[in-house]
Amino acid sequence: MGEASTKDTAAARSTAQIEADIAQARDRLASTLDELAMRVHPATVVAQTKARAMAAVEQKAGRAYVAASGAVEKVKAQFTDEKGRPRKERVVPVALVGVGLVLLAASARRWRKG
């Protein structure tokens, strides 16, 4: 019974319908082949690889910025009070150490030259 209904369905379709179905299938296949050719084209592969690399770099740069920003905020918190004013008891010793290091470096240069 299944075989007879298949023959009836095939017989009910006209030649024009079958040709139209074949043309549609051919168009779909051509479109699929064009898409595949575009995907594997060297320029497309290079562009995709470049885009992935740029995204990875941007992501890492963003993470580094967030980390650096957090570190700066921690250091800043060590040298300022809750209102943002400098803490003299912490700033002055650090400034003195900085000046001492600069003087030490300058004297070391003079010593090397002289």
Side-chain angles (χ1 to χ4, degrees), residues 69-89:
S69 179
V72 167
E73 287 301 315
K74 284 181 182 179
V75 170
K76 184 179 174 184
Q78 296 295 316
F79 295 99
T80 58
D81 61 13
E82 330 45 72
K83 294 181 181 179
R85 295 180 302 215
R87 292 182 175 179
K88 291 180 185 174
E89 70 276 6

Side-chain angles (χ1 to χ4, degrees), residues 13-26:
R13 293 177 58 200
S14 69
T15 304
Q17 288 172 328
I18 294 171
E19 288 175 352
D21 289 346
I22 291 171
Q24 287 176 351
R26 188 177 297 129

Side-chain angles (χ1 to χ4, degrees), residues 1-11:
M1 182 170 187
E3 190 176 318
S5 66
T6 304
K7 287 183 182 178
D8 291 340
T9 304

Side-chain angles (χ1 to χ4, degrees), residues 34 89 109:
D34 288 344
E89 70 276 6
R109 274 193 187 165

Side-chain angles (χ1 to χ4, degrees), residues 23-63:
Q24 287 176 351
R26 188 177 297 129
D27 289 343
R28 285 192 307 268
L29 180 59
S31 176
T32 301
L33 288 174
D34 288 344
E35 184 179 339
L36 288 172
M38 182 70 123
R39 285 183 186 181
V40 297
H41 191 277
T44 304
V45 173
V46 167
Q48 288 174 342
T49 303
K50 186 177 177 181
R52 280 191 219 113
M54 289 298 292
V57 167
E58 288 174 2
Q59 184 181 30
K60 289 182 189 232
R63 286 182 184 162

